[in-house]
Amino acid sequence: MAAIERKGLRVNLSTGEIRGEAVEEQVATDFIGGSGFGIYYLYTHLAPNTDPLSEQNKMLFVTGPLAGTNAQAVSRWLVCTRSPLTGAFARSSCGADFGAWLRFSGYDFIMVEGRAEKPVYIHLSENSCQIKDAAELWGKDTLTTQQWLTERHGKDTRAACIGPAGERLVKYASIASARRTASRCGTGTVMGSKQLKAIAITSRKHMQLHDPEAFKTLVREQVRLMKASKGFHHHTDVGTTTTHDITNPLGMYPVRNFRYGQQDEFERLSGEEYRKLRTGDFGCYSCSSRCGKVHHVPGGPYAGAHSEGPEYESIWAFSGPMDNRCIEATVAADQLCDDFGMDTITTGNAIGFAYELYEKGILTRQETDGLELTYGNHAAMIDLIKKIGRREGIGDVLAEGVMRAARTIGKGAESYAIHVKGMEPPAYEPRGAKCLGFNYATSNIGASHGYGYAPQEVFGSPIPRQVDRFAEEENADIVIFNQNTRAMRELGICCSFASLWGWIPTLLDKLLLAATGIDRCAEPGYLQLVGERIVNMERAFNVRNGFRRADDTLPRRILEEPLHTKGAPGEGQMIRHLDAFLDRYYALRGWTPDGVPSSQKLEQLGLGFVARDMP
Amino acid sequence: MQFHVPPFLKHLTNGVTEVEVTGATLGECLDAFVKRFPLAETLLFDERGRLHGYIEISVNGISAFPEELTRPVREGDTISMMYLMAGG
């Protein structure tokens, strides 16, 4: 039986041209879908050195071959483009249900090109695709926008949209599906630059699978394995609202702009405290875990704040950087970011950066529009989020991200700007979790936990082996394993949590084979090879845009200042051997000492056409 | 039985990574471990003495979930633990 047909949709907002395009069989075999299609089509269609906010930049909205099926936790979607925050490859990942709806529409991806002359949205239904006027939607928050689109196009409609932050080109704007967001890298900013408010898809569930009977049997086995896993039950109960109960005592919870590894009185922010505010839960398409925990603030200064979240990263983003210990303010901050459509991780970092500059006298009260940016002042944190979302006053400076904001502020501010390649790090202290730290340095998208998460050092996972989290170049193989595994998992596109519930090792290849009919999925080691192929192509994308070894670095503070953990392990830790790590990492990757994939490696991965582009 | 302490927790056991414990059940073995390394108690158990929801205990590499604490163990078994992945 032949593999199923795969196809993409290209929408040019400048010319109005809309056309479907079949995925070549060889491309489908070599890249499978999801993260593979994301980098393949971006690399082959986007000219090097394209200005990220220009008409020439392109955006890929990509779903995976398992999306929309009844397999569990595999309906995520990605946005790939050139990032306005970093200038590097951008990949934002999101859950909720847009990925399933994209698959229902019959397409594996939508490539958005050009720029509209006025605000528009794309409406894709079973019989047509149209570019529609979005004047009524421009200025509306992400929730109102989605409600409007559902009212206009019917209950079988789901959308991915930006909020006011994307419209105002805040450099780290996100794209929302329900209350989940594709947050990182400023993909919502690129959407805003194209005057594209939303992509709405109206469709009913129908799927083409290569072998539906085999698929059905595999899903039953997947559900059995998941439900036998303690991880599933724990995650269903608390989501990620207790992770800081683990990372604080380990000294890897960044506090006060990455000066400390543990927050004072962190018990006040515990998962049990969040449980007291919980009013419900939310799940992505076809995932019985429902790990999104809804929180509501019943009284006090933040009465009425209501958010599907915060999850671990956002709990940290609005507690650690500015040393806030009021969880009600954190819920309010999370809601604001979702409404504006802004990445919580970068927003929290930008605010923590401003607090430190204020402490050091680099920013004065006059320059903060009268805000008192003293640690723990959560009211000022809320005001700053609004100012960033509206690009008002100091918010306009911080809306550029810490790297650019530091250049604008001057007076030594760059010394306190915590970022990698222009993107701010998430909720893991790189000196206390060094595999993650080196992943930040070498990740092709900037400092991201989602690019090569290290469960070995945060949770003690023994796969592929246990690690000493303070070791450096000795763990280069682990960083590579985690990055390649991420790319492989996103072929699905599988949820990173659910992928640890016991089914990936035995079922991912079989599910992909049954869904697509691509025989090579069943070859031992083939999916890992595709994962490595993807990381190499992402790296080649960056090399073609000027990135080299010097960009694979970490913030000055991480390299020069010892970590203070307030009694937790890791006191005094620094990243001391970045060069030795890079030497080993590049050698194991088969890259040159300057961080460029070698011709030999690219040929070995079947990327000879990429090798020709390398210096 | 051998209790294998993962590297990221060895600060609780003075750097010891392999500990000999005795008991008829996994719960008894964990009690023996905690008796020797009291700092590990809050790591493993909540204030009511229940195993934390985010701790995964394995025997010979296989998850002991559910009802971990009453699970029988035998001489020669290897006990290990990790946190359940919940980050990000």
Side-chain angles (χ1 to χ4, degrees):
Chain A
M1 202 165 19
I4 62 164
E5 186 190 31
R6 315 285 292 283
K7 57 184 181 177
L9 182 71
R10 293 178 67 167
V11 180
N12 190 315
L13 298 175
S14 295
T15 64
E17 186 186 5
I18 298 169
R19 64 187 166 94
E21 186 174 288
V23 175
E24 290 175 24
E25 198 176 319
Q26 191 62 50
V27 172
T29 301
D30 289 348
F31 292 94
I32 309 291
S35 54
F37 284 5
I39 185 56
Y40 175 79
Y41 282 97
L42 193 69
Y43 188 95
T44 53
H45 287 73
L46 185 65
N49 301 310
T50 300
D51 178 347
L53 299 182
S54 71
E55 182 179 358
Q56 285 73 35
N57 197 7
K58 298 176 195 294
M59 300 184 78
L60 270 294
F61 293 78
V62 192
T63 190
L66 305 178
T69 68
N70 63 343
Q72 296 278 296
V74 290
S75 290
R76 294 183 68 82
W77 53 285
L78 305 175
V79 185
C80 298
T81 185
R82 187 172 184 213
S83 167
L85 199 58
T86 65
F89 173 67
R91 155 245 173 239
S92 298
S93 170
C94 188
D97 47 18
F98 182 76
W101 256 251
L102 179 51
R103 193 84 182 102
F104 296 156
S105 76
Y107 294 104
D108 285 86
F109 65 86
I110 298 173
M111 184 191 294
V112 178
E113 305 170 85
R115 173 191 283 154
E117 286 181 359
K118 59 180 184 177
V120 297
Y121 69 96
I122 295 168
H123 180 234
L124 178 61
S125 66
E126 289 177 9
N127 302 315
S128 72
C129 179
Q130 294 178 296
I131 300 170
K132 290 178 164 291
D133 188 282
E136 265 190 79
L137 287 172
W138 208 247
K140 289 192 172 15
D141 66 56
T142 59
L143 197 58
T144 309
T145 298
Q146 292 177 75
Q147 286 166 345
W148 188 97
L149 289 163
T150 304
E151 283 166 19
R152 176 63 58 98
H153 296 291
K155 64 179 175 51
D156 290 327
T157 301
R158 298 292 185 279
C161 72
I162 58 170
E167 297 169 13
R168 296 184 179 114
L169 305 183
V170 171
K171 284 286 193 311
Y172 38 93
S174 60
I175 303 172
S177 166
R179 295 300 263 181
R180 299 291 172 102
T181 54
S183 279
R184 307 241 62 199
C185 305
T187 52
T189 319
V190 178
M191 204 164 159
S193 76
K194 296 186 175 306
Q195 301 218 68
L196 177 62
K197 180 69 177 176
I199 299 177
I201 300 175
T202 305
S203 187
R204 290 177 193 278
K205 299 173 189 177
H206 53 74
M207 296 291 306
Q208 188 197 357
L209 292 170
H210 170 71
D211 187 343
E213 282 307 309
F215 197 86
K216 197 191 293 182
T217 304
L218 291 166
V219 171
R220 272 201 294 269
E221 178 62 2
Q222 185 205 23
V223 171
R224 186 190 71 76
L225 287 170
M226 274 176 55
K227 294 200 170 172
S229 150
K230 187 174 183 180
F232 168 81
H233 296 278
H234 174 61
H235 205 63
T236 301
D237 181 30
V238 297
T240 63
T241 60
T242 61
T243 305
H244 50 299
D245 297 341
I246 294 171
T247 51
N248 264 297
L250 289 176
M252 56 170 82
Y253 191 78
V255 177
R256 297 196 180 197
N257 203 28
F258 287 80
R259 267 187 287 174
Y260 304 103
Q262 184 175 199
Q263 188 165 19
D264 291 338
E265 301 182 299
F266 70 85
E267 298 82 2
R268 284 174 57 186
L269 319 164
S270 73
E272 285 308 309
E273 293 303 310
Y274 274 96
R275 193 190 288 276
K276 292 173 188 169
L277 300 181
R278 191 180 304 164
T279 56
D281 49 35
F282 174 87
C284 296
Y285 183 85
S286 191
C287 179
S288 46
S289 177
R290 299 181 67 80
C291 72
K293 302 305 169 194
V294 180
H295 299 100
H296 183 82
V297 179
Y302 302 105
H306 184 93
S307 186
E308 192 244 298
E311 33 54 66
Y312 172 62
E313 286 296 337
S314 303
I315 287 172
W316 167 77
F318 300 116
S319 61
M322 64 298 295
D323 207 352
N324 162 45
R325 298 166 206 170
C326 171
I327 66 172
E328 291 81 3
T330 301
V331 173
D334 188 49
Q335 179 184 11
L336 273 173
C337 282
D338 285 351
D339 287 345
F340 276 114
M342 298 196 298
D343 176 16
T344 55
I345 294 173
T346 288
T347 304
N349 270 289
I351 293 172
F353 168 66
Y355 275 53
E356 181 164 12
L357 297 188
Y358 190 82
E359 179 193 34
K360 301 245 175 334
I362 295 172
L363 277 179
T364 64
R365 192 164 176 172
Q366 194 179 359
E367 290 165 309
T368 62
D369 312 321
L371 292 176
E372 194 82 58
L373 303 186
T374 47
Y375 291 111
N377 183 350
H378 45 81
M381 170 182 81
I382 295 292
D383 286 341
L384 270 185
I385 294 171
K386 293 175 184 169
K387 283 178 173 293
I388 293 170
R390 295 173 184 143
R391 274 192 174 273
E392 289 174 356
I394 184 68
D396 190 40
V397 177
L398 298 175
E400 291 292 304
V402 302
M403 180 178 74
R404 291 177 181 81
R407 290 177 192 153
T408 302
I409 294 164
K411 296 181 276 185
E414 283 175 330
S415 194
Y416 308 104
I418 309 294
H419 67 89
V420 176
K421 299 183 176 76
M423 192 159 87
E424 297 76 359
Y428 298 92
E429 167 53 60
R431 290 162 293 188
K434 292 187 178 178
C435 285
L436 271 167
F438 288 119
N439 169 61
Y440 297 167
T442 54
S443 151
N444 287 317
I445 65 172
S448 164
H449 61 298
Y451 193 86
Y453 195 85
Q456 303 86 2
E457 62 187 7
V458 185
F459 301 109
S461 167
I463 300 169
R465 62 175 172 81
Q466 290 192 315
V467 301
D468 174 352
R469 66 186 168 107
F470 301 122
E472 300 199 358
E473 64 271 27
E474 300 87 342
N475 286 336
D477 61 316
I478 295 293
V479 176
I480 291 170
F481 174 85
N482 291 335
Q483 292 174 343
N484 290 354
T485 300
R486 181 282 309 175
M488 180 191 78
R489 191 176 62 236
E490 289 183 350
L491 296 171
I493 303 167
C494 312
C495 165
S496 58
F497 305 119
S499 65
L500 291 170
W501 299 339
W503 61 274
I504 287 270
T506 55
L507 292 180
L508 179 61
D509 54 350
K510 296 183 181 71
L511 282 164
L512 287 170
L513 172 61
T516 65
I518 297 170
D519 292 333
R520 293 205 68 186
C521 291
E523 283 179 24
Y526 184 66
L527 297 184
Q528 287 85 347
L529 173 74
V530 178
E532 185 183 4
R533 180 180 289 149
I534 289 165
V535 174
N536 274 266
M537 203 161 175
E538 292 168 349
R539 169 61 58 146
F541 178 95
N542 284 352
V543 168
R544 218 166 52 156
N545 283 289
F547 287 82
R548 296 291 188 277
R549 181 186 181 113
D551 301 294
D552 287 343
T553 189
L554 288 161
R556 180 205 60 79
R557 169 160 285 160
I558 307 305
L559 299 173
E560 295 179 6
E561 292 183 19
L563 175 65
H564 298 297
T565 57
K566 303 192 173 187
E571 177 68 29
Q573 285 288 332
M574 287 164 52
I575 299 277
R576 297 176 193 276
H577 304 119
L578 177 63
D579 266 326
F581 174 87
L582 290 178
D583 287 343
R584 185 162 171 74
Y585 174 90
Y586 293 156
L588 289 172
R589 279 252 180 240
W591 295 355
T592 71
D594 205 23
V596 177
S598 66
S599 296
Q600 191 183 9
K601 171 52 74 174
L602 292 170
E603 294 285 355
Q604 181 196 332
L605 293 170
L607 296 173
F609 66 102
V610 172
R612 290 189 288 274
D613 299 335
M614 295 298 98
Chain B
M1 277 74 67
Q2 281 285 319
F3 189 101
H4 176 74
V5 182
F8 75 116
L9 295 178
K10 62 186 182 185
H11 61 284
L12 301 175
T13 58
N14 304 319
V16 175
T17 57
E18 300 289 340
V19 179
E20 189 69 30
V21 291
T22 54
T25 64
L26 197 47
E28 289 176 14
C29 291
L30 293 181
D31 285 343
F33 174 71
V34 164
K35 204 168 204 172
R36 185 161 164 199
F37 301 107
L39 285 176
E41 182 166 11
T42 54
L43 169 86
L44 288 168
F45 301 106
D46 67 16
E47 63 279 8
R48 295 185 202 167
R50 298 173 304 192
L51 191 65
H52 281 303
Y54 51 73
I55 298 284
E56 173 88 295
I57 305 283
S58 298
V59 178
N60 302 326
I62 298 168
S63 170
F65 177 78
E67 297 170 10
E68 297 99 319
L69 299 184
T70 56
R71 181 150 302 218
V73 286
R74 291 184 304 189
E75 197 56 43
D77 283 347
T78 300
I79 302 165
S80 57
M81 62 155 291
M82 60 178 277
Y83 285 131
L84 288 163
M85 162 87 175

